[in-house]
Amino acid sequence: MKIVITRKIPPSIVSLMEDGHEVYMWDDEETVMPRQLLLQHAADADAIFTNVSDRIDKELLGRAPRLKVVSTMAVGYNNIDIAEAKKRGIRVGHTPEVLSEAVADLTFALLLGTARRVVEADRYTRAGKWKGWGPMLLTGQDVYGAAIGIIGMGRIGRGVARRAKGFGMHILYHNRTRKPEAEQELGAQWRSLEQLLSESDYVVMLAPSTPETHSMIGPRQFAQMKPNAILINTSRGGNVDEQALYDALTTGKIWGAGLDVFETEPIGKEHPLLQLPNVIALPHIGSATIETRLQMADIAARNLLAALRNERMLYSVIG
Ligand code: DGY
């Protein structure tokens, strides 16, 4: 059977899949496999090992008559047309759980980094601008004792809430369903989205990307936020209206933003948000620790092989 791997992954993971199969791998760690080449290889593929940056859409699925499984090295699968895969009997696997703590760590790193202007201060020092201690030099926002509003209280949200508890933060959350465990264990309090936005000093977006969460934070929501508020997004770029975010940051409606994800990725250095000093922008590295990424790749490979053998996947979205 033919397996297409759309990004260079460690040899130990590739060799798991090579056993008895023909493997094609796009041999570059940083660039996306060109669309035309992906379509060409999909035409006779039995399995695709993918990641967040490939578009596994109706067109591609329609041109892959032998395809049995799409296995993504990610928890999120908004880049895959799930309805179409289901219609065609193609199984879809993903890698939840294993990355929750790493993403929670990075979310908190962005929160602290934005609050205390860490990146800006580093640039200032490197630029030789540091002439002496200043009473109000590079002053930021308090984290201890502040209110954090977590939108999306899944595994990553709970991880962020546990960290916030350690920082003595007041924990608010918004989720479609109430989470009694988080309320009991962490003292988290449920709020409507409007209440959360108006009460939080830190608004942390962790909701999955769905048609309902698309541009969930837009002009109206920014208008409800506090002027000292900081928005952190480590979910999907599409959950936040980027133009509205830019306007909110440049008109003082909010104080700063820490972003790991963007509406269209990758972004270039001309991106408007990169021109603002009160933004920290990262290249979608939420789960990027060596251990976590190796575990994600390993699970994605095992999901794929299980599906090819008609066995149960460790973590499936469909099938
Ligand atoms: C995911 O798993 O969905 C992340 O965004 C990729 O690190």
Side-chain angles (χ1 to χ4, degrees), residues 52 73-76 95 99 235-236 284 286-287 293 296:
V52 293
M73 185 182 152
V75 59
T95 63
L99 47 65
S235 58
R236 285 294 182 268
H284 203 145
S287 59
R293 286 285 168 87
M296 289 164 69

Side-chain angles (χ1 to χ4, degrees), residues 2-34:
K2 176 173 166 179
I3 299 172
V4 176
I5 306 175
T6 65
R7 191 65 58 89
K8 186 174 177 180
I9 54 171
S12 58
I13 310 288
V14 180
S15 60
L16 284 177
M17 291 183 276
E18 271 170 346
D19 195 13
H21 300 298
E22 174 197 342
V23 172
Y24 169 84
M25 179 168 76
W26 172 247
D27 209 4
D28 188 334
E29 213 167 344
E30 289 187 18
T31 62
V32 177
M33 183 172 175

